[in-house]
Amino acid sequence: VTGGNAIDLWTHLTASDANWVSTGTTVSVTPQHNAAPNQAFVALTPDPSGSGTVWLGVVASATQCEVWTFNGSTYSAQTTVSVGTGQATVVMHTFNGNVLIGAGSQAPSDAKLYVQPGGTTPLSGVTCAIWRFAHTAGLCVAFPAYTTGATVYWTSPDGLAWTPVGFSFLAAGETVFGCAITQDAYGPTILVGINTVAGHPRFVKSYNATSGGFSTVF
């Protein structure tokens, strides 16, 4: 964020190259900042085509997320995803040829999950303050993070059709803060981090998140 009212993307050529270079172009927007939850106000994800295009989502107001693509030289406006009330957040994820745009909200039953290209809204009016995504081949999982009282998360085989699964591992007052795909001796597993009321995190894992069968790691 540059000057409080523009977005500028920077890049470097290789992972070992510490010299970041501005792409030289900016998109004018006034992103939210210094407002609860003061995170997830800007998001990036690569285009699934592998073309090098980047998708950029910005929370431009308390109820609106604006989305662009950037091809290395030009920003192109793509869509707007809005929530009705609360403070909007945005998280983006690439899965199965789709870009998932998770518009969260601090108000209950107000969040959306939007899919590009094509512009569909497979989930709306759901409870999710900030989205967290993870995927393996043929399965994407979307968790409602930092959402006290959340009762379900969602799974999808294609990014378009989503099924709610009841939480089997959240105690009263606990919230998910993140998720990731990892692997143990038995194969790929979904790892979920949980904020506890005791003030220290704990972690659970599952080999098949569609069944809700998570076991404690530590």
Side-chain angles (χ1 to χ4, degrees), residues 18-215:
N19 297 315
W20 287 80
V21 179
S22 172
T23 57
T25 61
T26 60
V27 57
S28 296
V29 66
T30 303
Q32 292 279 282
H33 58 89
N34 298 325
N38 202 24
Q39 59 179 311
F41 288 155
V42 178
L44 292 170
T45 196
D47 188 82
S49 68
S51 63
T53 296
V54 175
W55 288 73
L56 167 68
V58 179
V59 176
S61 74
T63 59
Q64 181 171 294
C65 304
E66 298 181 13
V67 179
W68 293 266
T69 52
F70 181 73
N71 64 6
S73 60
T74 304
Y75 288 95
S76 300
Q78 296 297 326
T79 191
T80 298
V81 183
S82 299
V83 297
T85 57
Q87 173 59 63
T89 60
V90 62
V91 175
M92 306 179 78
H93 189 75
T94 298
F95 173 67
N96 192 42
N98 297 302
V99 173
L100 308 179
I101 305 168
S105 174
Q106 293 297 292
S109 301
D110 197 29
K112 292 181 179 178
L113 179 58
Y114 194 83
V115 179
Q116 288 281 76
T120 61
T121 309
L123 292 174
S124 63
V126 297
T127 299
C128 178
I130 300 174
W131 292 87
R132 291 289 184 259
F133 298 100
H135 77 266
T136 59
L139 176 67
C140 188
V141 185
F143 288 97
Y146 300 99
T147 307
T148 303
T151 58
V152 298
Y153 61 93
W154 296 267
T155 65
S156 174
D158 56 10
L160 300 175
W162 293 82
T163 301
V165 182
F167 275 112
S168 61
F169 55 82
L170 283 185
E174 292 186 335
T175 63
V176 169
F177 66 80
C179 60
I181 297 297
T182 185
Q183 185 163 328
D184 61 15
Y186 300 99
T189 181
I190 296 173
L191 183 69
V192 181
I194 302 167
N195 288 314
T196 68
V197 293
H200 55 76
R202 66 184 183 90
F203 296 84
V204 297
K205 67 178 181 179
S206 175
Y207 304 106
N208 182 9
T210 58
S211 66
F214 282 80
S215 59

